[in-house]
Amino acid sequence: MTRRGFLLGAAALPAAAAASDPGFRLVDVTGPAGIRFQHNSGAFGAKYLPETMGPGCAFLDYDADGWLDILLINGMDWPGHRRRRSTLELYRNNRNGSFTDVTREAGLAVEMYGMGAAVADYNNDGFPDILVTAVGQNRLFQNTGKGHFLDVTDRAGLGGRSSFSTSALWFDFDRDGHLDLFVCNYVKWSPEHDIFCSVDGSRKSYCTPEAYRGSTCWLFRNRGNGTFEDVTATSGVFDTSSKSLGVALLDYDRDGWPDLLVTNDTQPNKLYRNRRNGTFEDVAVHAGVAFSEDGKARAGMGIDVADFDNSGAPGIAITNFDNEMVALYRAGRDGVYSDIALQTGVGQASRNTLGFGCIFFDADLDGRLDLLAANGHIDETVRNIHGNVGYAQPPHLFLNDGRGGFRDVAREAGADFAAPHVARGAACGDFDRDGDVDLLITANQGPARLYRNDVRNGRRSVRLRLVGTRSNRDGVGAVVRLWTPDGAQSRMVKTGSSYLSQSELTLTFGIDGREKADRVVIEWPSSRVEEYKNVAAGLYDCVEGEGIGKPAI
């Protein structure tokens, strides 16, 4: 994370737009829900770099009962400075707005310096598995389907790799029906090789990434027998100059094969185009997403990709350091992206904040994707620098006006939601099954917060949960298009995105006040295309080759 913005005076924000009702409220229900998580960074004064980074979080349905559960990733105390035990935490949804901590019985009471999570059914048995990234050894936990997880890291061929891993995602890059694994690595760091950095020459401060060498990301191909093959070197993604924090799945060239966009901190971002032969090529410079509009590498942290303008093409949001602004890229017809953050209102509003997790989601169910950016600085001493907004920062919630602009409605969405925090991970999912999308946000050295979305004005949604048969079981990589008289929307089933976190895989299409969608088309990774007409509002299971089921109750 660059300190260019850290040392510059903050630019003045424009006058706030007149407050108006956004049509929904985000209510902090963490306490009533029974979520008691507290992140432990292990900080004891040595200012170790990883202390500023985590934690991540995930929505998942680990027991396959149709209700979303919550996974929270934790750090731990450093060796020689033990104060308390801290582990991963898994909360089971009680289906009544509350959750029960089932960490120990699920076999996840594991102490590790965790960073993030990527969740998917890598062995196609109907139950989601968990990859936890870490400082040290990443862990793969296989879901037994009986409420318990097994650590299969070594058995799967992922052991023996010490790293500083951050975000990760599951995707089927060779379209063989088995989910492969991509893991971001940040820099070459360990306590033994920690570097002394200082702002004033005497007291130690957290180093910027320029102090350390980069580290390549990893790509593991799923052999389909429970084991993985490291294809990093042969696939074209090997690059030791990268300092990667976020990764998102997209189909950049719309050829039906999954591509990857990786955000790097003070290094150029990477756009790995799938060459359909097991290899990738980096086309980020050509695509216009490697650098800022003025040709500089920014401090890319979080990322999400989605069709936010309902054009049918994937757009991109990337969170950066303060004074660098959130990047908002719109796709051009020539395969080149343009950063439209300033002209849409996103840029100036985010100039003074430092963003981590980010999510495109339809907060008000009007059929247009909105954008969340979870913010927080990296060092509490930032409050001593004149003009800066501070260590804890409020989030941005940019409401899409459908005319090419966005308005930050975080304050109008709820006072609790708009309160400043040292936010990091962010995930979305409909935990209470009322048809709108709720939010889960973590804080560095702080609690996780669950925000229930209460959409008013009678707006409804079509929610689709895909189940692959010829394709991978989760349907990761599938593209769904939905039409109403208001126009078309498109969504991709994807893991990863945001920052260190995993949102639900079920797709949510807001249809405003309408009773149904006129038409739904599913493009499966297997190349199968299915079409359905007159799909009423509700939640559906869509099984590849078997059709769309009745709305779930």
Side-chain angles (χ1 to χ4, degrees), residues 19-299:
S20 60
D21 186 352
F24 65 96
R25 287 290 184 273
L26 291 167
V27 181
D28 187 342
V29 295
T30 311
I35 308 297
R36 302 286 183 261
F37 177 82
Q38 182 75 21
H39 176 241
N40 178 22
S41 73
F44 63 95
K47 300 282 187 176
Y48 285 165
L49 182 62
E51 295 167 1
T52 67
M53 306 298 286
C57 58
F59 277 119
L60 74 163
D61 182 7
Y62 88 98
D63 51 3
D65 67 347
W67 293 75
L68 288 176
D69 311 301
I70 289 174
L71 175 69
L72 299 167
I73 307 303
N74 215 339
M76 62 180 289
D77 291 335
W78 297 107
H81 301 274
R82 302 293 298 228
R83 291 170 294 184
R84 65 183 178 94
R85 177 176 168 80
S86 52
T87 73
L88 309 175
E89 292 187 16
L90 178 66
Y91 290 87
R92 186 186 65 224
N93 194 325
N94 297 326
R95 312 185 198 182
N96 61 2
S98 70
F99 291 78
T100 297
D101 186 341
V102 295
T103 309
R104 187 167 299 279
E105 64 194 73
L108 293 177
V110 177
E111 193 171 27
M112 57 190 295
Y113 203 98
M115 296 298 295
V119 179
D121 183 5
Y122 80 86
N123 57 358
N124 292 332
D125 67 351
F127 294 92
D129 310 296
I130 301 168
L131 186 281
V132 178
T133 61
V135 177
Q137 176 64 62
N138 300 331
R139 304 282 189 90
L140 178 61
F141 296 99
Q142 180 186 326
N143 193 330
T144 66
K146 300 177 181 179
H148 191 81
F149 291 84
L150 297 175
D151 186 339
V152 296
T153 308
D154 292 334
R155 186 193 316 169
L158 301 178
R161 292 175 172 84
S162 183
S163 60
F164 185 167
S165 295
T166 53
S167 296
L169 62 71
W170 297 94
F171 74 133
D172 186 4
F173 79 85
D174 51 5
R175 300 205 325 187
D176 65 352
H178 302 288
L179 289 175
D180 312 299
L181 176 63
F182 185 89
V183 178
C184 293
N185 289 309
Y186 191 38
V187 295
K188 295 285 188 182
W189 179 91
S190 68
E192 296 75 24
H193 298 93
D194 184 61
I195 295 174
F196 182 91
C197 297
S198 176
V199 174
D200 60 11
S202 59
R203 293 173 300 171
K204 187 178 182 187
S205 63
Y206 287 113
C207 292
T208 67
E210 289 96 335
Y212 295 95
R213 290 186 295 123
S215 183
T216 185
C217 298
W218 293 327
L219 178 61
F220 299 97
R221 186 181 69 83
N222 189 334
R223 294 189 178 105
N225 62 359
T227 68
F228 294 82
E229 174 189 5
D230 186 344
V231 295
T232 306
T234 58
S235 65
V237 303
F238 182 82
D239 179 10
T240 56
S241 70
S242 289
K243 299 177 181 181
S244 303
L245 290 175
V247 59
L249 180 66
L250 76 163
D251 186 359
Y252 157 70
D253 49 7
R254 287 177 268 179
D255 64 351
W257 290 73
D259 311 304
L260 295 176
L261 181 53
V262 179
T263 58
N264 284 310
D265 191 354
T266 70
Q267 294 293 313
N269 299 323
K270 303 291 184 180
L271 175 52
Y272 291 114
R273 186 179 71 85
N274 194 328
R275 300 176 66 185
R276 299 184 277 183
N277 62 1
T279 67
F280 294 80
E281 64 174 331
D282 177 19
V283 296
V285 173
H286 168 76
V289 297
F291 304 97
S292 67
E293 293 289 283
D294 56 359
K296 296 179 180 178
R298 287 186 273 191

Side-chain angles (χ1 to χ4, degrees), residues 214-433:
S215 183
T216 185
C217 298
W218 293 327
L219 178 61
F220 299 97
R221 186 181 69 83
N222 189 334
R223 294 189 178 105
N225 62 359
T227 68
F228 294 82
E229 174 189 5
D230 186 344
V231 295
T232 306
T234 58
S235 65
V237 303
F238 182 82
D239 179 10
T240 56
S241 70
S242 289
K243 299 177 181 181
S244 303
L245 290 175
V247 59
L249 180 66
L250 76 163
D251 186 359
Y252 157 70
D253 49 7
R254 287 177 268 179
D255 64 351
W257 290 73
D259 311 304
L260 295 176
L261 181 53
V262 179
T263 58
N264 284 310
D265 191 354
T266 70
Q267 294 293 313
N269 299 323
K270 303 291 184 180
L271 175 52
Y272 291 114
R273 186 179 71 85
N274 194 328
R275 300 176 66 185
R276 299 184 277 183
N277 62 1
T279 67
F280 294 80
E281 64 174 331
D282 177 19
V283 296
V285 173
H286 168 76
V289 297
F291 304 97
S292 67
E293 293 289 283
D294 56 359
K296 296 179 180 178
R298 287 186 273 191
M301 265 83 86
I303 181 172
D304 200 8
V305 174
D307 179 13
F308 66 82
D309 58 359
N310 289 341
S311 66
I316 301 163
I318 298 175
T319 52
N320 296 295
F321 214 81
D322 60 359
N323 282 292
E324 291 185 336
M325 303 187 297
V326 170
L328 184 66
Y329 292 101
R330 181 174 59 200
R333 294 181 180 179
D334 55 359
V336 177
Y337 283 87
S338 299
D339 189 347
I340 59 171
L342 279 173
Q343 66 198 68
T344 60
V346 168
Q348 188 64 17
S350 62
R351 187 179 294 277
N352 294 337
T353 49
L354 195 164
F356 281 90
C358 63
I359 304 169
F360 283 114
F361 75 114
D362 190 352
D364 56 356
L365 300 182
D366 66 349
R368 298 186 292 264
L369 289 174
D370 311 301
L371 176 62
L372 166 77
N375 304 314
H377 225 287
I378 61 166
D379 191 335
E380 62 182 2
T381 60
V382 69
R383 65 170 61 100
N384 300 323
I385 298 175
H386 177 72
N388 204 287
V389 292
Y391 183 43
Q393 301 178 358
H396 296 301
L397 182 50
F398 294 109
L399 201 65
N400 190 333
D401 67 10
R403 301 183 299 275
F406 288 83
R407 179 171 62 92
D408 191 350
V409 298
R411 188 173 300 175
E412 295 99 305
D416 289 340
F417 174 74
H421 301 293
V422 188
R424 293 294 185 263
C428 67
D430 183 11
F431 81 87
D432 54 0
R433 289 184 47 156

